[in-house]
Amino acid sequence: MSGSVLQQLARWTAMQRLLAGRVLLQVAEELPDEAAAALRESAAALRGSAQAWQKSATAWHRIVDIADPRSHPKLPAPSYEIVGRGEVVRLPRVIPHPCTLIAHTPAVRVGQLLYGPEWRPEAATRPDPREGTEILADARGAGGLASALYRLPAAGWQLALAAPQAVSLARGGLVTDVPEHQTPGRRNHRFRPIRMHQLETLSHSYKAVLPAEQASAESLLNVAGQAGVPVPRALLDAAAHRTLAAGLDWGHARKPVRVDQPGLRAPQPQVRQRRRSL
């Protein structure tokens, strides 16, 4: 997973939260005051999650991942002379990382729930949203809608927790063109290796996502509870979150096994040496 993948993942995740919040606001217009207030509160929490993810994506500004050809600046079209001489060099096509496709799919599905089955994120114009009654009919009520949208912040919490380790693993291919990092009096290239404080800034940006995602998940669970829709998945997620937050087998190297420990010493085969007769 490269730095460019992490940035794309953050942007798609932010779009998911924004679309989900707009779905809740559209549905809230069709519900009584108390239920509508709960949906608007969840929409505000999702908006906070979207802003946190967007800030984590913005933290990658002035940082380039040399392992991804899409991070290179857009070059002008080659002239006819260069094409005639056969000197055109095309950048290799990069297959999208599976996590970006997984993040793209919920954004499309939530957007189609809001704008209709023909909507795509790449559309230049945004159509009018569907009626709240139609959305509720497709989602099987406000409780079913909240239960389905709860999966977004539940998964986002784990993504934000794993992101700092992914940033550390991608450090070798990250460069920056910040002028302050140029050494005075020496000939410097445009891009320099990323500094430690920049790496810490990238990792720190994901820490702000954790409480925002927790607030969004809790708010959606409250909406589902008020509607009488159980969410059994939440119990498993809570147990997983406690385990991951405790740091058990998450980002820590395992202790090396010592051979001298009792019960771990393997018997050495006995090799008999035969005397060779002259």
Side-chain angles (χ1 to χ4, degrees), residues 127-145:
D128 296 331
R130 302 168 64 201
E131 297 293 335
T133 54
E134 298 179 1
I135 297 177
L136 287 174
D138 291 341
R140 299 180 181 180
L145 178 62

Side-chain angles (χ1 to χ4, degrees), residues 15-278:
M15 179 178 287
Q16 295 173 13
R17 276 65 176 163
L18 288 176
L19 292 172
R22 292 175 183 174
V23 168
L24 295 178
L25 293 178
Q26 190 70 12
V27 171
E29 299 180 358
E30 307 294 336
L31 298 179
D33 295 340
E34 183 177 358
L39 290 181
R40 292 190 179 97
E41 182 180 354
S42 298
L46 288 170
R47 192 183 308 114
S49 297
Q51 292 175 353
W53 278 109
Q54 187 62 30
K55 288 182 180 179
S56 68
T58 308
W60 290 90
H61 182 58
R62 307 297 294 270
I63 296 177
V64 176
D65 192 336
I66 59 177
D68 191 348
R70 288 171 297 188
S71 297
H72 295 183
K74 186 176 181 180
L75 301 177
S79 62
Y80 290 105
E81 297 179 357
I82 296 178
V83 175
R85 293 195 300 266
E87 299 177 357
V88 178
V89 178
R90 298 185 181 275
L91 294 177
R93 298 184 61 181
V94 179
I95 300 176
H97 194 275
C99 73
T100 59
L101 299 179
I102 294 174
H104 176 268
T105 301
V108 174
R109 299 182 70 175
V110 176
Q112 291 178 350
L113 181 64
L114 178 62
Y115 296 117
E118 302 298 330
W119 181 83
R120 293 293 184 275
E122 297 81 10
T125 59
R126 186 176 61 185
D128 296 331
R130 302 168 64 201
E131 297 293 335
T133 54
E134 298 179 1
I135 297 177
L136 287 174
D138 291 341
R140 299 180 181 180
L145 178 62
S147 176
L149 295 180
Y150 157 78
R151 301 178 184 180
L152 299 179
W157 190 92
Q158 298 186 15
L159 287 174
L161 188 63
Q165 183 182 9
V167 171
S168 179
L169 294 176
R171 178 187 178 184
L174 302 181
V175 295
T176 180
D177 61 345
V178 178
E180 289 77 7
H181 293 172
Q182 303 293 340
T183 305
R186 295 184 57 185
R187 181 182 178 184
N188 294 290
H189 299 283
R190 178 182 176 184
F191 294 100
R192 305 285 296 177
I194 190 174
R195 298 295 182 88
M196 181 58 66
H197 70 88
Q198 288 181 296
L199 193 69
E200 295 176 355
T201 301
L202 289 176
S203 301
H204 186 73
S205 64
Y206 292 100
K207 295 181 180 179
V209 179
L210 297 178
E213 293 286 58
Q214 289 177 343
S216 299
E218 182 179 1
S219 180
L220 290 171
L221 287 178
N222 293 335
V223 173
Q226 293 178 6
V229 177
V231 188
R233 177 190 176 98
L235 298 177
L236 298 176
D237 290 334
H241 291 176
R242 286 193 297 267
T243 303
L244 296 178
L248 300 178
D249 296 333
W250 187 261
H252 298 281
R254 295 183 178 181
K255 295 182 179 180
V257 179
R258 295 184 303 175
V259 182
D260 57 349
Q261 292 182 3
L264 295 179
R265 181 180 294 276
Q268 299 294 331
Q270 301 294 331
V271 181
R272 296 181 179 180
Q273 297 181 358
R274 295 182 179 180
R275 295 182 178 179
R276 299 177 61 183
S277 58
L278 299 176

